[in-house]
Amino acid sequence: MRFNDDKAKMLIEMLPYIEKHSGKTMVIKYGGNAMKNERLKESVMEDIILMSYVGINIVVVHGGGPEINKMLDRLKIQSEFINGLRYTDEDTMEVVEMVLAGKVNKELVLKINERGGKAVGLCGIDGNMLICEPTQEDLGYVGKIVEINPQIIKDNLDAGYISMIATVGADREGNIYNINGDIAASAIAGALKAEKYILLTDVPGLLEEPSMDESLISHVYKEDLPILFENGVITGGMIPKINSCIEALNQGVKKVHILDGRVRHSIITELFTDAGVGTLID
Ligand SMILES: Nc1ncnc2c1ncn2[C@@H]1O[C@H](COP(=O)(O)OP(=O)(O)O)[C@@H](O)[C@H]1O
Ligand SMILES: CC(=O)N[C@@H](CCC(=O)OP(=O)(O)O)C(=O)O
């Protein structure tokens, strides 16, 4: 008896949140580190389907760095990162395109569709969504987004589809580029003026002391982030991530959430329960 009461209570707790979020657009950056474990992947897909069922307009921008590494290893192609971006020559670009826009993208679309969701797989080349230029000469085919056309995403949302987007784009001459997942996701969230931009990563959120999970910063204003950079609180992979969050907020996104992709159902826990998790930036 009590068991049922608890379950019902939980569902009732969700009601005001469903009302608040329904009809809003949310962009999720799903990074490769949160894809390593199959059960976690399933739980992220379930969260996405639930969000879509309650009327949230969902756009997922996915990475897949570890999967790209695996394939490059198999093909014995050396790879290196410069300031968090993968040096991308022609051979590497071919692998990035095959892995991100092919294997990873289709696997995620299939997982959503298998469970009764409606997803469609895209990359930045589709509908001229992400027009690129080289970021800097010594990084090869790493793309900087110079134009973004979100119409194809809006059309999918109007037709009830979740867009699952791989971060591969092209220039106007037909060259293909590798775009960092955080940079692409924030640009898309900005172009859609999304209500929320949600990033799944491999830490509990932004930490005051990077090696201490208990030092989670649960809320920070955009204006206070420069101090955290100056004080050396934000380092390594968190630098491009937080810069991408600032960019998204500057473009009109209302709130950014950095969540722990290693924790099952972290997205719906943050969105639909009183127990907030992760870091909220606004
Ligand atoms: N203040 C901080 N709070 C949390 N993580 C931080 C911080 N500063 C640096 N980091 C590092 O940033 C990493 C997250 O960035 P990254 O590895 O690029 O994530 P992802 O692969 O999920 O996109 C964390 O694993 C952590 O090592
Ligand atoms: C230019 C650049 O570095 N591109 C990334 C794209 C994938 C990505 O960003 O994946 P995660 O989100 O899993 O890190 C790469 O080649 O790994």
Side-chain angles (χ1 to χ4, degrees), residues 44-264:
V44 173
M45 295 304 116
E46 285 162 1
D47 284 12
I48 289 169
I49 293 167
L50 193 145
M51 290 165 78
S52 142
Y53 276 177
V54 301
I56 298 172
N57 300 317
I58 315 262
V59 178
V60 185
V61 180
H62 68 83
E67 284 276 354
I68 297 170
N69 292 340
K70 254 200 266 171
M71 188 56 77
L72 288 170
D73 276 354
R74 269 170 70 179
L75 297 169
K76 303 200 170 23
I77 299 172
Q78 300 275 340
S79 189
E80 64 166 321
F81 281 83
I82 301 165
N83 295 327
L85 300 172
R86 186 190 306 275
Y87 169 72
T88 306
D89 60 12
E90 256 176 63
D91 288 347
T92 307
M93 190 60 242
E94 209 177 315
V95 174
V96 169
E97 187 188 359
M98 286 193 294
V99 172
L100 283 190
K103 185 171 186 288
V104 175
N105 187 269
K106 298 309 150 205
E107 190 191 329
L108 295 175
V109 169
L110 186 61
K111 277 193 189 303
I112 290 183
N113 292 349
E114 262 178 351
R115 281 168 185 70
K118 276 177 74 181
V120 122
L122 298 171
C123 78
I125 301 172
D126 295 291
N128 288 322
M129 190 202 305
L130 304 175
I131 309 286
C132 295
E133 267 177 12
T135 297
Q136 53 191 76
E137 221 160 85
D138 54 354
L139 281 173
Y141 291 98
V142 172
K144 174 172 83 177
I145 301 170
V146 289
E147 188 185 313
I148 170 156
N149 301 301
Q151 194 56 44
I152 181 92
I153 307 174
K154 292 180 183 168
D155 290 347
N156 277 337
L157 286 174
D158 289 345
Y161 284 100
I162 297 164
S163 290
M164 180 65 70
I165 303 169
T167 61
V168 170
D171 64 17
R172 293 189 179 86
E173 283 77 50
N175 300 300
I176 297 179
Y177 290 86
N178 177 12
I179 313 167
N180 168 270
D182 293 339
I183 294 173
S186 61
I188 290 169
L192 292 170
K193 307 269 178 260
E195 182 74 18
K196 288 184 190 292
Y197 170 38
I198 299 168
L199 295 98
L200 291 179
T201 182
D202 62 350
V203 280
L206 182 59
L207 305 170
E208 188 93 48
E209 188 62 56
S211 50
M212 278 173 55
D213 285 5
E214 314 77 64
S215 69
L216 176 73
I217 301 172
S218 46
H219 180 212
V220 61
Y221 291 109
K222 181 183 80 171
E223 293 73 26
D224 294 331
L225 289 169
I227 299 169
L228 297 180
F229 277 107
E230 279 163 35
N231 295 347
V233 170
I234 300 167
T235 59
M238 210 33 96
I239 297 175
K241 205 173 284 305
I242 296 293
N243 279 328
S244 83
C245 297
I246 295 172
E247 186 54 29
L249 290 164
N250 286 342
Q251 295 299 314
V253 170
K254 302 252 172 50
K255 288 178 194 296
V256 175
H257 297 257
I258 303 177
L259 303 181
D260 196 337
R262 302 165 307 175
V263 175
R264 296 183 73 201

